[in-house]
Amino acid sequence: MPSLTRDEARTRAALVEVLSYEVGLDLDRGPRTFESTSTVRFRSREVGATTWLDIAPVVLHEVRLNDRTLDVAELLDGRIELPDLAADNVVVVRATMAYSRDGQGLHRAEDPADGEAYLYGHAFLAAAPRMFGCFDQPDLKAPYTVFVAAPSHWTVVGNGAATHTGSGAWSLATTPPLATYFVTVCAGPYVTRRTEHDGIPLALHARRSLEGPLDRWADQIFTLTRQGLDRYHGLFGIRYPFGEYHQVFVPEFNAGAMENPGCVTVRDDRLFRGTATDDALLIRARTIEHELAHMWFGDLVTMRWWDDLWLNESFAEYMATTTLVHATEFHDAWTSFGIVRKTWGYAAERRPSTHPVAGSPALDAAAALQDFDGISYAKGASVIRQLVAYLGEDAATAGVAAYLREHAYGNGAFDDLVRALEVAGDQELGAWCEAWLRTADRDRLSVETEVEEGVIRAARLRRRVPRRHPADRVHVVDVVGWTDGVEQLRAVVRTAGDVTDLPELVGSRQPAVLVPNASDLTWAGVDLDPATVAALPGQLSRIPEGPARVVVWSALVDAVSGGAMDPRPVLRLLESEWVSEASPLLLERLAATAVRRFVPEFLFEREHEAAWQELADAGDLLLAGSEEGSNHAVIAARTVAECTGDEALLRRWLAGADVPSGLRTDTDFRWLLLGNLARRGLVETATLDDAEEADPTFGGRLAALQARAAQPTEAAKAWAWSQVVEEGSTRSNHQLVALLQGFWSTPDLDLVRPYVSRFFAEVPRLSGWLGDDALARVVRFGFPRVVERATLRLAEEALAGVALSPATRRNIVDGASALSEAVASRERYAPGRVPLGGSSSGSW
């Protein structure tokens, strides 16, 4: 199907006003297809004009327009022409549609635990025509009434409240106006838990095999939902507008969740079946509050076109985090945001594909999909945080509330929101918006001091503007210094140009560590001064404020990724500071960065085993000093399980002996052990077969695929590759990602080097059965982990010589960019080689 362009959308929206949809879905026709009937009532502003309807069927049976039967053979590339329109029109479309395996359209997954089928609709970004005939663009909103036929033992939920009207028959209440990409139906033998808050019916749904985890976590999820509703009601004075509020935990979901009004779909690995750390719980809590915020930002008021994506995602991201801090038990959510979300966004900002928060071209829907990234989410939320600091919280809240009220149940755009904020804040925002929202890239901040006899005689904050995308951004930040964990000085400043004096620091003793943007308030790279870098061992974990430690660690990760620092001293710093790091949120993310990025990508293969063992030894030390069952103990044990080369320990834990508390019955922990053994060639295929049989779940199936693909033999690699490129049409994209991640994980690169060129030639061909969103995930997470210039050359050749979808192209560009960081670091900091210009980390 061709991707809808912005110009086409504008032309159709100028002609058509959609009045209502009535959709009938028959889901009781077998495992491959379902029947879809849609009746669309709409007005045409020009009598006699022609437009088109979007539909992507297996078989198109009938299209009737105003009692005229159209020729279904005229269907071309997912569009059926609607000619000779009247002022008031009714079009009826009957079609047989295919269930999907790629998470788009109406996805059907069979649970290996009970053999039952579970369905969910995912109409984002342009997948609604895979479920029903429609005018598929975000600014043609209309009410929906949906009727569903399903097997008699199934439950059906959707955007409108569901009523069971007979054996297998369901009617969903008519909704307020919705964009097509929000329409969903979820069906299957889901188990349900219900409650009510402030007159709003609440419900949770999950597969039957997840009934235990659903019961375990239902109270916390319901509590977060109530707290979010109260917070958003109080802030904006607009009640939740979509009747009932369902959260359905669904299998094989591509994103973390989707904000379908009244029926949010959530990836069901968020119903943790094993031990859940604080980091995992906070990620789920952010997801819950993020999707709930979308009921106002995106659902009540929807962007007119995808270039205003930030009106949805940036606001939902900001609102979720501030709600967690002010209304829930997760008071350290900004710390998590800094190390999880901003790190993701900073990485996106380093890529050639960086783009402004708002106003990206998005000439068609496929191009818009590429901007659902760390910039639209994390940078956008950070910019909103700066906007609140710039305008004041009261003015910012009043402006947003006015925007929501003015455009409720319709669409809004960039200028609409800015105008409301200017009125509320009584100041012009044009220059601010141009710098922060319409210009890509980030500034870099550093503190410079002149010191005599240990006393600061002059101090300034320096702002370095990026050459590629210069802009005059005003930052509201603080600068704080500590020695041995005791605060020595603090200054809060609004920058004025490239150099801002810090008179508050003059006369103070020079602290051991001096951190700009210490509260992590702004979006900027931070360059630590050499004295601070040298003092970090023994000082870093003693900084009492979590956001400041996040800023320091982010600066180090940034410096390593950008080639300004050797990764080896940073790894040693991590190992030495682990035992003293108070925040499990920060600890878990640092462990993941070390284990899954720094070691496998930035160090040479000959260094990997020793580096992983050093991380395992650090984990052993942390485990020994941590309270049994605590977050620190669980993180330490998982790190050991993933990294250690101690075969005896791995087998002992696998047999259930001396397993750390809290992990004795944790199935995912067992798969960590098996994965480590498999990667080393120390486990038989029969053992993996037995483990999969003992864990007949989606998670078990994925873990088994990854472990099999990780085995360091030619036969295992050939099998895994065939499963991706030859059997891929029968596998979900989650399974394809698991296979590729295991495939590239090997101590012997000779086993996989021949497949690098095949990746760029063969994986893009999966577009024959995978949608853009799914294929993007496969390319992104399955990108070759062979850190060599040859891989970069092959990526460049693929970009130059093959017809690629926008999603595939973007993810190859980004994957190659990340790989080039590692290649450049290896070349610059090869052991025994003195880097040009020396290393800022040499004193470590």
Side-chain angles (χ1 to χ4, degrees):
M1 288 175 57
S3 182
L4 179 72
T5 69
R6 180 169 52 189
D7 287 344
E8 288 176 325
R10 284 174 175 168
T11 299
R12 187 161 63 172
L15 176 67
V16 169
E17 177 189 1
V18 185
L19 302 177
S20 69
Y21 285 89
E22 184 177 291
V23 177
L25 302 175
D26 186 346
L27 309 180
D28 200 10
R29 294 297 186 97
R32 297 186 180 277
T33 62
F34 62 98
E35 299 302 308
S36 171
T37 301
S38 53
T39 302
V40 190
R41 290 174 170 80
F42 65 100
R43 291 194 181 108
S44 172
R45 296 182 178 91
E46 180 183 341
V47 175
T50 296
T51 189
W52 77 93
L53 194 79
D54 303 294
I55 181 78
V58 175
V59 180
L60 182 58
H61 299 296
E62 180 184 31
V63 180
R64 291 185 60 78
L65 174 63
N66 300 333
D67 297 324
R68 287 181 288 133
T69 299
L70 305 183
D71 184 357
V72 296
E74 295 295 318
L75 177 68
L76 179 64
D77 292 331
R79 297 179 178 185
I80 186 76
E81 188 174 277
L82 304 180
D84 193 21
L85 297 177
D88 293 289
N89 302 273
V90 179
V91 61
V92 179
V93 182
R94 290 195 308 108
T96 297
M97 316 293 277
Y99 290 118
S100 82
R101 292 289 289 129
D102 63 3
Q104 296 169 261
L106 193 56
H107 184 92
R108 188 180 192 274
E110 289 189 6
D111 188 345
D114 62 10
E116 290 279 6
Y118 293 86
L119 280 56
Y120 61 88
H122 187 61
F124 174 88
L125 171 102
R130 293 171 65 173
M131 294 193 290
F132 59 94
C134 58
F135 296 105
D136 190 26
Q137 59 190 73
D139 58 345
L140 290 178
K141 298 172 73 171
Y144 284 78
T145 305
V146 179
F147 301 94
V148 179
S152 58
H153 67 295
W154 283 13
T155 294
V156 174
V157 294
N159 304 102
T163 301
H164 192 197
T165 59
S167 179
W170 297 78
S171 172
L172 306 186
T174 301
T175 69
L178 305 181
T180 46
Y181 76 95
F182 291 137
V183 177
T184 190
V185 167
C186 300
Y190 287 98
V191 293
T192 300
R193 300 294 179 264
R194 297 181 185 275
T195 188
E196 179 269 345
H197 178 67
D198 195 16
I200 302 167
L202 309 177
L204 306 175
H205 311 267
R207 291 179 285 118
R208 288 194 310 206
S209 59
L210 288 175
E211 186 169 11
L214 180 65
D215 285 335
R216 178 185 177 191
W217 299 114
D219 283 348
Q220 185 184 73
I221 295 169
F222 277 137
T223 295
L224 287 162
T225 305
R226 295 184 190 102
Q227 291 167 330
L229 285 167
D230 290 345
R231 168 82 173 169
Y232 300 143
H233 288 166
L235 278 177
F236 305 122
I238 303 171
R239 283 185 57 78
Y240 168 71
F242 296 107
E244 297 183 356
Y245 190 72
H246 297 259
Q247 295 171 82
V248 189
F249 291 84
V250 299
E252 299 182 338
F253 200 63
N254 289 340
M258 178 63 197
E259 65 270 21
N260 311 303
C263 188
V264 171
T265 42
V266 187
R267 193 164 66 199
D268 63 10
D269 62 4
R270 304 290 164 93
L271 281 179
F272 310 114
R273 60 179 185 165
T275 301
T277 61
D278 285 358
D279 180 68
L281 293 175
L282 201 151
I283 288 172
R284 183 176 66 196
R286 180 184 291 116
T287 299
I288 291 166
E289 302 299 0
H290 178 108
E291 304 310 322
L292 185 57
H294 269 309
M295 299 301 121
W296 289 263
F297 298 96
D299 295 6
L300 178 66
V301 180
T302 307
M303 60 200 170
R304 288 196 185 98
W305 182 246
W306 301 104
D307 54 357
D308 271 327
L309 168 67
W310 77 290
L311 294 174
N312 291 15
E313 299 303 345
S314 302
F315 274 91
E317 189 82 349
Y318 171 78
M319 291 306 308
T321 306
T322 191
T323 294
L324 289 173
V325 171
H326 293 291
T328 79
E329 64 181 291
F330 296 98
H331 304 302
D332 51 358
W334 282 119
T335 298
S336 171
F337 179 85
I339 199 62
V340 178
R341 308 300 273 180
K342 288 184 81 171
T343 300
W344 171 42
Y346 285 157
E349 197 85 285
R350 294 195 302 268
R351 305 283 175 254
S353 57
T354 186
H355 58 87
V357 172
S360 291
L363 298 180
D364 61 37
L369 177 64
Q370 311 321 308
D371 288 345
F372 281 78
D373 59 12
I375 293 173
S376 294
Y377 286 74
K379 181 179 181 179
S382 300
V383 169
I384 292 169
R385 197 178 186 195
Q386 275 290 293
L387 178 62
V388 171
Y390 186 80
L391 276 182
E393 188 165 354
D394 291 345
T397 300
V400 170
Y403 162 79
L404 293 173
R405 286 192 297 271
E406 181 178 355
H407 299 280
Y409 302 106
N411 297 85
F414 181 97
D415 291 341
D416 299 323
L417 176 61
V418 172
R419 191 160 48 248
L421 289 168
E422 287 179 330
V423 171
D426 194 25
Q427 58 180 299
E428 194 273 334
L429 292 174
W432 192 96
C433 289
E434 186 65 29
W436 276 107
L437 292 168
R438 294 194 179 277
T439 307
D441 221 327
R442 57 182 172 151
D443 299 335
R444 301 200 67 83
L445 302 178
S446 60
V447 178
E448 300 170 351
T449 58
E450 298 174 15
V451 181
E452 294 179 5
E453 298 180 351
V455 177
I456 297 173
R457 300 303 182 191
R460 62 193 69 89
L461 181 69
R462 183 172 294 278
R463 180 193 68 178
R464 291 177 175 82
V465 175
R467 293 179 180 177
R468 289 188 302 167
H469 306 103
D472 184 14
R473 300 179 184 88
V474 176
H475 298 266
V476 179
V477 295
D478 55 358
V479 176
V480 188
W482 291 272
T483 300
D484 297 331
V486 178
E487 183 178 313
Q488 303 293 303
L489 51 86
R490 179 181 296 264
V492 179
V493 61
R494 179 179 290 201
T495 59
D498 291 337
V499 178
T500 304
D501 288 333
L502 302 172
E504 300 94 329
L505 273 57
V506 174
S508 301
R509 294 202 64 79
Q510 177 81 352
V513 293
L514 188 58
V515 183
N517 192 31
S519 295
D520 205 11
L521 292 175
T522 197
W523 180 267
V526 165
D527 295 318
L528 301 171
D529 66 274
T532 292
V533 171
L536 289 177
Q539 290 287 337
L540 176 49
S541 62
R542 301 175 72 177
I543 296 174
E545 298 176 15
R549 298 198 304 280
V550 165
V551 167
V552 172
W553 280 115
S554 294
L556 296 175
V557 170
D558 217 21
V560 169
S561 299
M565 189 172 286
D566 188 335
R568 295 162 187 83
V570 179
L571 281 166
R572 289 197 296 271
L573 178 67
L574 171 64
E575 292 159 8
S576 68
E577 295 294 294
W578 249 32
V579 176
S580 305
E581 174 53 57
S583 169
L585 305 174
L586 189 49
L587 186 70
E588 186 160 0
R589 289 296 160 164
L590 293 173
T593 299
V595 173
R596 293 163 202 166
R597 178 149 165 80
F598 277 11
V599 171
E601 296 182 19
F602 285 84
L603 301 189
F604 289 92
E605 281 69 28
R606 63 181 179 273
E607 301 177 87
H608 288 180
E609 192 54 46
W612 270 316
Q613 192 56 53
E614 288 172 4
L615 288 169
D617 292 343
D620 275 329
L621 187 62
L622 179 62
L623 181 60
S626 300
E627 181 182 348
E628 283 194 18
S630 66
N631 276 268
H632 281 62
V634 169
I635 295 164
R638 287 175 176 168
T639 302
V640 174
E642 195 167 356
C643 295
T644 186
D646 186 342
E647 182 182 355
L649 173 64
L650 291 170
R651 294 196 182 281
R652 190 164 67 249
W653 279 358
L654 194 59
D658 305 321
V659 178
S661 178
L663 296 169
R664 293 189 180 95
T665 60
D666 191 318
T667 306
D668 293 329
F669 184 69
R670 287 180 54 80
W671 280 114
L672 272 182
L673 301 169
L674 286 166
N676 189 343
L677 288 167
R679 189 180 76 241
R680 299 171 185 278
L682 298 174
V683 65
E684 299 294 329
T685 299
T687 302
L688 297 177
D689 292 341
D690 292 343
E692 185 176 11
E693 185 177 350
D695 182 20
T697 64
F698 282 104
R701 181 179 292 177
L702 294 176
L705 286 172
Q706 186 166 341
R708 289 191 180 96
Q711 295 176 100
T713 67
E714 290 183 0
K717 299 305 180 186
W719 170 84
W721 193 257
S722 72
Q723 293 300 300
V724 173
V725 300
E726 296 172 18
E727 305 297 328
S729 61
T730 65
R731 294 198 174 277
S732 73
N733 58 298
H734 286 254
Q735 292 172 340
L736 298 177
V737 167
L739 284 161
L740 285 169
Q741 288 184 326
F743 178 89
W744 298 117
S745 176
T746 176
D748 183 3
L749 291 184
D750 287 339
L751 288 171
V752 297
R753 276 195 185 95
Y755 291 92
V756 175
S757 61
R758 295 184 64 181
F759 176 89
F760 294 114
E762 297 174 25
V763 170
R765 296 177 192 157
L766 299 181
S767 61
W769 57 81
L770 280 182
D772 278 355
D773 193 20
L775 183 56
R777 292 187 79 258
V778 172
V779 175
R780 179 165 67 251
F781 296 115
F783 197 87
R785 296 182 69 178
V786 179
V787 185
E788 298 172 347
R789 289 218 168 265
T791 304
L792 297 177
R793 286 194 296 273
L794 289 167
E796 291 169 0
E797 291 171 6
L799 292 168
V802 180
L804 301 172
S805 71
T808 302
R809 177 172 297 278
R810 167 69 176 270
N811 282 280
I812 291 176
V813 168
D814 286 352
S817 177
L819 190 70
S820 70
E821 293 179 343
V823 169
S825 178
R826 288 189 182 194
E827 292 174 352
R828 180 171 186 178
Y829 298 109
R833 177 179 178 182
V834 178
L836 295 174
S839 169
S840 60
S841 58
S843 61
W844 293 357

